[in-house]
Amino acid sequence: MQYSLRFTVLILLAIAFQLLGCSEDPDTDTTSVEKVIAEPIPAKPTPEDTFAKLKTLFPKPILDGDFTTLGEVTASKTYLDFLTQEYRTGKSFKTLVDYLNVAKPDPERYKPFLKESIGKSNEEDIAIVHQLTLEYRCANVMLYQMMHDGNGENVLKAIFAVLEKKLSVLDEAPVKAWMEMHLPNQDQGKEFFTALEHFVTETEKKDALLIQEQFAQHGKDDGLLWLAVHNPALTAEILNNFTNTNVFLRWTEGNFFQHNP
């Protein structure tokens, strides 16, 4: 009995020493948990940090002949990560063009126009007029570029192309349904689209002035980079609609329909 008790004590002591030895095993990674706990949560990239990083990643001129570098900037992971966090849309997007298609329009841009044209407006009204505005702006740039390519023979061709583009958006189901609701007769439709043409031109002038202010404050290259950081929707339109930076620079001067070959 005494032998059995001593043996039991020895076994317990052996187990205790083994457990103590295991807890102090140098091969066991006891710092991993502490490291995870101590690891700081990555800070959300600020516009200033993103600008600095993009400028380091893309040191060459941003405003090259055909927007190649600006396209590379806006397709970079650094830019898209920033865009995803800074400008949440509620819908996923993988490119800047995708972002333009899902980004919510600024209601303050459209409310005054809608108040004058149809009275009280809601989100659907704003979305429809935003869609019309984007298509009309794209068509206007198409005309502007074709009129400034130095070939006067393209003017008539450009006018027909622009008319076709502007008319095609009216056949889209949401736009068509909206027009039937708010513009039931021909006179109302004519008045609305005459006012829309003027409104679109005014938005172009405001955006051209905004770009000029960026250029004046930061220079053309940094100004275009700041525009991408602060106004991704306008940057997406530039990349979508323009193919020639020289024509784009003329457009930013606000002389939209003057022919200056």
Side-chain angles (χ1 to χ4, degrees):
M1 180 69 177
Q2 188 176 5
Y3 174 80
S4 175
L5 180 60
R6 289 179 180 176
F7 181 76
T8 302
V9 171
L10 289 174
I11 292 296
L12 290 175
L13 287 173
I15 292 173
F17 280 119
Q18 186 176 5
L19 290 174
L20 288 172
C22 288
S23 66
E24 295 176 359
D25 188 350
D27 294 331
T28 302
D29 186 5
T30 59
T31 62
S32 59
V33 175
E34 294 177 1
K35 184 177 180 182
V36 170
I37 294 174
E39 190 76 28
I41 298 172
K44 177 182 174 182
T46 66
E48 292 74 19
D49 291 340
T50 302
F51 173 85
K53 190 169 183 180
L54 289 171
K55 193 168 173 61
T56 301
L57 291 172
F58 300 93
K60 52 190 174 181
I62 303 298
L63 190 64
D64 50 22
D66 54 2
F67 293 107
T68 299
T69 304
L70 183 61
E72 292 173 355
V73 168
T74 57
S76 68
K77 186 177 184 303
T78 296
Y79 182 76
L80 291 174
D81 285 349
F82 166 75
L83 192 63
T84 302
Q85 295 185 59
E86 185 74 10
Y87 300 98
R88 298 184 183 277
T89 63
K91 298 179 181 179
S92 61
F93 58 87
K94 294 183 179 180
T95 68
L96 185 58
V97 174
D98 291 341
Y99 166 79
L100 181 62
N101 293 330
V102 300
K104 289 185 178 181
D106 177 12
E108 298 309 315
R109 166 168 274 194
Y110 298 100
K111 280 182 177 180
F113 168 73
L114 283 165
K115 184 177 181 180
E116 290 184 6
S117 57
I118 66 169
K120 189 177 179 180
S121 61
N122 55 32
E123 285 188 12
E124 181 189 6
D125 301 324
I126 292 170
I128 292 295
V129 175
H130 176 63
Q131 183 181 355
L132 287 169
T133 301
L134 290 180
E135 294 292 338
Y136 271 48
R137 282 165 62 112
C138 181
N140 287 346
V141 171
M142 182 191 304
L143 175 62
Y144 187 82
Q145 288 194 129
M146 294 181 77
M147 290 181 68
H148 286 75
D149 66 358
N151 186 354
E153 296 178 358
N154 284 333
V155 173
L156 190 59
K157 180 181 176 182
I159 292 173
F160 278 113
V162 167
L163 287 175
E164 183 179 2
K165 185 169 183 61
K166 289 185 176 181
L167 289 173
S168 66
V169 71
L170 305 183
D171 290 330
E172 296 178 8
V175 176
K176 203 168 186 178
W178 185 87
M179 288 171 56
E180 290 173 356
M181 180 183 297
H182 294 283
L183 312 171
N185 62 64
Q186 187 174 356
D187 288 340
Q188 286 177 311
K190 182 179 179 181
E191 185 178 344
F192 173 82
F193 284 101
T194 299
L196 180 65
E197 291 279 5
H198 175 73
F199 169 74
V200 169
T201 301
E202 289 303 307
T203 68
E204 291 173 319
K205 288 179 180 179
K206 288 179 181 178
D207 287 341
L209 180 60
L210 172 65
I211 295 168
Q212 280 288 344
E213 289 172 350
Q214 291 294 313
F215 288 171
Q217 184 175 356
H218 304 290
K220 289 185 173 62
D221 289 311
D222 283 3
L224 207 55
L225 194 56
W226 275 119
L227 190 73
V229 170
H230 287 303
N231 200 324
L234 180 54
T235 304
E237 280 197 75
I238 292 169
L239 289 172
N240 250 2
N241 300 346
F242 287 95
T243 57
N244 185 300
T245 51
N246 289 328
V247 174
F248 164 71
L249 290 175
R250 289 180 181 177
W251 181 89
T252 62
E253 296 173 0
N255 300 319
F256 299 137
F257 298 106
Q258 292 183 14
H259 182 59
N260 298 309

